[in-house]
Amino acid sequence: MGNITRVGVDIAKSIFHVHAVDRFSEVKWKGKYSRSKWLAAISRKVPHGAEIAMEACSSANYWGRELQKRGYKVKIIHAQFVKPYVKSNKNDAVDAEAICEAMSRPSMRFVSLKTVRQQDVQAAHRVRDNLMVQRTGKANQIRGLVGEYGLVAPIGIKKLRQAIPLWLEDGDNGLSSMFRSILKGLFDDLINLDERIDELDKTIQEDVQQDPVATKLLELRGIGVLCASALSSAIGDGKTYKKGRDFAASIGLTPRQHSTGGKPKLLGISKRGDGYLRKLLVHGARAVIRHAHRHNDALSQWLMKLTSTKHVNIVTVALANKTARVAWAIVNNNDSYRPELIASV
């Protein structure tokens, strides 16, 4: 087994399939192991320094770090890039073989292995985003229910919070005692969601203050605490991407292409990758464009020139794309933000 150079692993909840080849792509080992035994099998049969690849899925980062500790080179591949190499019927053993084959392609693109800290930050953002969805749903539910009793709150969740106590205290608004009890429970749920979101905001804020990369990114216009934190976690050291456009493309901020016969045809943005990060960048770009007319710097002039000929949505995505590319350049080059250069990027 000493000549194994490449291993594809199909990871799962309980059973792991392994497919290993040598430098001539000749199969040297196939195996099926339980969760508790597969790492030991890898250590026995695969020499240190060999490349081991897995699909980007739940627990891939954990197993990747465990393999790195044992001296292996770890590569993580997006599932969509593995699928073309699956031959005939699909099963776990075939998936492991396909992963092994896909990792050998010179042009294959790999997903960066996340550190524990990056996963912590990502978890905070995911939980916060889910709580925001729950809070919006709770507010809409309250509005819908009280609307059946002829009560309407002004637009905005802040206004709704102010209105609910007044409805509960008003004895002449037609609300029954049963519905008042239900509304009080819904209001408590809403307040609880607010408190949990505030706690996560503080956690992310504290992390950004301790993260030199996120602190640098805060200098960019259109990037606040949430976006700086998410960007820092997504970019890592920046070495995963060859250039800023590759990073922008990885989060879906570049056009889809459908060309044939030598005739290029560009469509709307691809919307691939991290939709949450793309959303933060787009919202930040909208805020910058809204106030561009108040400034006279190079970026504002560029935006005003674009908005005079293009739809504001196109300009928004263009700025979000530019911001992502500049953020990557700052991280990759360990540089500081230079406003005089951003309009030319």
Side-chain angles (χ1 to χ4, degrees):
M1 295 290 180
N3 54 355
I4 289 177
T5 60
R6 216 168 66 238
V7 183
V9 182
D10 183 66
I11 59 178
K13 184 178 180 180
S14 303
I15 302 299
F16 293 66
H17 285 75
V18 180
H19 186 94
V21 300
D22 61 13
R23 63 191 182 95
F24 300 109
S25 296
E26 182 180 345
V27 179
K28 292 297 180 180
W29 172 40
K30 291 183 179 181
K32 181 174 74 171
Y33 299 91
S34 66
R35 181 184 183 90
S36 60
K37 295 179 179 179
W38 83 278
L39 277 180
I42 290 283
S43 298
R44 286 196 312 269
K45 296 177 179 292
V46 182
H48 291 176
E51 294 182 344
I52 300 179
M54 299 170 286
E55 282 187 350
C57 59
S58 177
S59 77
N61 287 295
Y62 167 75
W63 292 120
R65 291 193 296 269
E66 291 298 312
L67 289 167
Q68 281 187 339
K69 292 177 184 177
R70 290 162 173 77
Y72 298 109
K73 298 176 182 177
V74 178
K75 294 185 175 181
I76 300 179
I77 311 174
H78 198 288
Q80 67 177 347
F81 298 141
V82 174
K83 188 175 181 180
Y85 298 94
V86 175
K87 301 183 183 73
S88 188
N89 298 322
K90 181 188 181 303
N91 57 52
D92 293 341
V94 171
D95 285 346
E97 181 182 358
I99 293 168
C100 190
E101 177 66 23
M103 70 184 289
S104 69
R105 300 299 92 193
S107 60
M108 182 55 62
R109 286 177 281 175
F110 299 98
V111 179
S112 59
L113 187 65
K114 286 184 172 58
T115 64
V116 173
R117 181 195 163 276
Q118 284 177 307
Q119 283 190 238
D120 290 344
V121 173
Q122 187 181 66
H125 281 278
R126 285 180 174 176
V127 173
R128 183 188 182 279
D129 192 43
N130 182 258
L131 290 174
M132 292 289 289
V133 172
Q134 291 182 40
R135 186 175 70 176
T136 301
K138 187 66 65 177
N140 289 339
Q141 183 183 38
I142 293 172
R143 288 180 183 276
L145 290 173
V146 299
E148 296 294 331
Y149 293 84
L151 301 176
V152 179
I155 295 175
I157 196 166
K158 184 178 179 180
K159 298 290 187 180
L160 180 64
R161 289 194 206 98
Q162 295 171 351
I164 295 175
L166 299 178
W167 293 336
L168 292 172
E169 294 173 4
D170 186 357
D172 300 323
N173 56 12
L175 297 183
S176 65
S177 59
M178 179 179 177
F179 184 76
R180 288 178 191 276
S181 177
I182 294 172
L183 183 58
K184 177 62 168 60
L186 290 172
F187 185 52
D188 290 342
D189 292 341
L190 188 63
I191 297 301
N192 182 54
L193 289 169
D194 287 335
E195 291 173 351
R196 292 189 63 192
I197 291 170
D198 289 341
E199 289 174 3
L200 285 169
D201 285 341
K202 291 177 183 177
T203 299
I204 294 171
Q205 174 76 53
E206 290 170 359
D207 181 76
V208 167
Q209 291 174 350
Q210 298 172 4
D211 182 2
V213 172
T215 304
K216 281 184 179 181
L217 294 177
L218 279 173
E219 298 175 5
L220 279 163
R221 285 174 62 186
I223 291 185
V225 172
L226 287 176
C227 193
S229 173
L231 271 174
S232 176
S233 176
I235 297 175
D237 60 3
K239 305 305 179 186
T240 306
Y241 309 96
K242 293 182 179 179
K243 52 189 176 182
R245 189 185 186 281
D246 291 345
F247 174 63
S250 73
I251 54 177
L253 285 171
T254 52
R256 288 184 296 122
Q257 189 176 37
H258 188 79
S259 304
T260 185
K263 297 180 180 179
K265 183 179 180 181
L266 297 180
L267 307 174
I269 59 172
S270 67
K271 295 186 179 180
R272 299 189 181 102
D274 191 341
Y276 174 73
L277 180 55
R278 183 172 63 250
K279 176 179 69 175
L280 292 178
L281 286 167
V282 168
H283 285 340
R286 288 192 190 280
V288 173
I289 292 171
R290 190 178 301 118
H291 301 286
H293 65 281
R294 301 179 182 178
H295 304 276
N296 196 35
D297 56 280
L299 178 61
S300 298
Q301 292 177 1
W302 177 76
L303 290 172
M304 294 305 295
K305 182 178 179 181
L306 273 184
T307 51
S308 65
T309 58
K310 305 287 185 183
H311 192 279
V312 67
N313 289 346
I314 296 176
V315 182
T316 299
V317 172
L319 178 57
N321 181 301
K322 183 186 287 288
T323 303
R325 293 165 70 170
V326 172
W328 174 86
I330 289 173
V331 175
N332 185 66
N333 303 328
N334 193 23
D335 201 356
S336 298
Y337 172 54
R338 289 182 281 175
E340 68 277 6
L341 297 180
I342 190 169
S344 61
V345 174

